[in-house]
Amino acid sequence: MLSTRPVMSTNDLPGYRAKILVADDDQNVRLLTRQCLEAEGMAVVEAANGPQAIDVFVRERPDLVFLDVEMPGMTGLEVCRRIRQMPQGESIPIMIVTGSDDRQSIDQGFEAGATQYKTKPVNWSLLGRDVQYMLRASNAFNALKRQEDRLRYLAYYDPLTSLPNRRSFNEQLNRILKRAQRHKTSAALLFIDLDHFKRINDSIGHSRGDRLLVEIAKRLTMELREDDAINYFTEQSAEETTESEVGTEIARLGGDEFTVVLSDVEDISDVEVVAMRILNTLSEPIALQSHNPVVTPSIGIAIYPHDGEDPDTLVRNADTAMYVAKAEGRACFRFYDEEMNARAVELLKMEEELRHAMRHNQLELRYQPQVDTKTGKVVSMEALVRWKHPERGMVSPVEFIPVAERTGQIIELGEWVMQEVARHCLYWETIGLDQFRICVNISPLQFNQTNLPQWIEGFLGQSGLAPHRLELELTESAIMNDAETNIAKLRELKALGLDLAVDDFGTGYSSLSYLKRFPIDTLKIDQSFVADLDSPDGAAIVDAILALAQTLNLRVIAEGIEDEHQLTYLVDRKCDLLQGFYFAQPLYPEDVPDMLRQNFTSELAASVPA
Ligand code: C2E
Ligand code: MG
Ligand code: MG
């Protein structure tokens, strides 16, 4: 795979008997050598000629080799040369035993790869000790080499995922950009950050969190390896620069940050395809024992040379693009553009202003009615937050909710919405209005707080709001992410006596088997499908959701009803509730009483031919 991890050699182990190959055509020499070595606790295997020596070497894998130079069939020098060419013979100690001690044959021995030489006659009394020294030296050398390999590995690779680390990434990016400059080609840097990783990590535990990161690394590698162009960053190439390095480089910078560098980019659309594939493969649920979290990435992309000519600029701009991707709803990719710097500054400013807004009562609620298609009555209202900005006017939640999600401000904001809803409801009760249901949006971050049920229980007790008046709108992706764990939480919420709806249904990934087990009351068809009713696909999805709701015995509501055609279609197919501009815009609280007195029977009747 990515690296050849050094293996520990067995002759380091205590109690291990070193095995020595003795190759000599003289039987007496072999016998004497054997006796000396066995007396030192070593095991001996013998060979009587050159070819046999090779044979025994391959079969027995000795720790040290004795070679007589003059042997029939093949000289000891030749045997030595051949052993050195084998992978397992590269660093084995070899002792050449020669009859002559002239300079030339000794040189020949070393050239052939010998570690040591001895001249005949051999001093038998010293032989055992000499061999011990050679083995020890060889072990020390191997240990050093392993240590060095390990250090080099650690310096360039992330030990958890085996991906190249930040240092590799920096060197690699430098090299790729230099090369791109020489060849006048383009390159792309993709910055990948996992959405809400910290929270997921905390909730599934750190060892599962680690496994999740390993799985993410594996998916990235598998997905991008399908490109033939991919080039693995091997240990050697960390040091050697090869001109022909092209393709895809993956690295883990640390935590939940990954990078992909594409070289020789010819068309931006190719980069888009890669980004899309990364998005898709990472967003598949991950099986971790009883948890199946869905981990989406946010991806920022910067292109060389357009978005930066040096590594620093490119990295900074890819990072900015990633920040914008997060702020704009996550689970998406964004190409850097110059306006983004301004946008990033603006987002930071928004964070601060939002903090200020919450302290200074700049947030307001609106209520949008939901109409029962059987009676024409308004039976429920969705609470929607607005930000009345002193300079910018009304800021849409589409703009600031994602920012609040990212910074965690959504928790405080969500609590404020609840309190405000309770305040309004209690007032409406005092003026004698019917107890219609109030739907409150709960963002994924709010839902994933461990103490949400406890908080709501406390809130209900304190505020006096009747639980049956409350419906929580949860997004599909929030509850499907780690579905198994969420069942328990949904049950706790249900036990408080409130209703649960799945908002924007159809836009995320839903597992039918879970849907059946979730204690939910309502499916809310996303408005994009309603807007798309004229297309066969849109209509098919709406039909499928209606059928699903019927089978699961769930209430179903369609939002974003704007015209009569949409109305007719949905009334025709017995959708329970409808919400949209066709009936009313989100209303000021003071307009709610009037709305409740309205009846939409005539609109509904007119839409369905008798
Ligand atoms: P959502 O929960 O799907 O809310 C429906 C959105 O559709 C609302 O946008 C609503 O004003 C809009 N809408 C209603 N009828 C129509 C129609 O006929 N046509 C069209 N085109 N749009 C219609 P809004 O108020 O801008 O809210 C947008 C999103 O912001 C909401 O989507 C929700 O996800 C989030 N949001 C709003 N208020 C809150 C809140 O208090 N807490 C949280 N966590 N999120 C909120
Ligand atoms: Mg909603
Ligand atoms: Mg919705």
Side-chain angles (χ1 to χ4, degrees), residues 296-365:
T296 55
S298 293
I299 307 173
I301 309 170
I303 305 288
Y304 170 91
H306 185 267
D307 303 330
E309 298 192 12
D310 57 278
D312 286 350
T313 314
L314 213 58
V315 165
R316 199 174 51 243
N317 290 342
D319 194 37
T320 301
M322 198 270 291
Y323 176 78
V324 172
K326 286 233 183 255
E328 292 185 350
R330 298 194 176 86
C332 62
F333 58 86
R334 290 286 180 267
F335 281 93
Y336 174 79
D337 65 55
E338 271 161 34
E339 281 150 34
M340 261 186 191
N341 278 324
R343 174 107 184 97
V345 170
E346 199 185 302
L347 286 168
L348 277 171
K349 207 170 129 209
M350 190 182 283
E351 274 177 42
E352 260 164 51
E353 289 184 341
L354 190 57
R355 205 160 287 131
H356 182 265
M358 290 197 281
R359 304 258 178 292
H360 295 84
N361 304 320
Q362 289 177 10
L363 298 182
E364 295 177 1
L365 284 189

Side-chain angles (χ1 to χ4, degrees), residues 447 471-476 479-480 486-487 489-491 493-494 498-503 505 510-512 514-524 548-549 552-556:
F447 178 71
E471 179 164 77
L472 303 182
E473 291 193 4
L474 309 165
T475 64
E476 189 179 18
I479 58 171
M480 280 302 164
N486 288 339
I487 289 184
K489 184 178 271 180
L490 293 171
R491 289 210 180 113
L493 287 170
K494 239 352 255 184
L498 41 76
D499 276 5
L500 298 173
V502 185
D503 201 357
F505 189 76
S510 253
S511 146
L512 266 186
Y514 278 122
L515 213 51
K516 264 199 288 201
R517 292 170 58 198
F518 283 156
I520 47 176
D521 305 276
T522 308
L523 289 188
K524 202 165 181 187
L548 181 70
L552 296 178
N553 209 3
L554 298 174
R555 185 160 59 216
V556 61

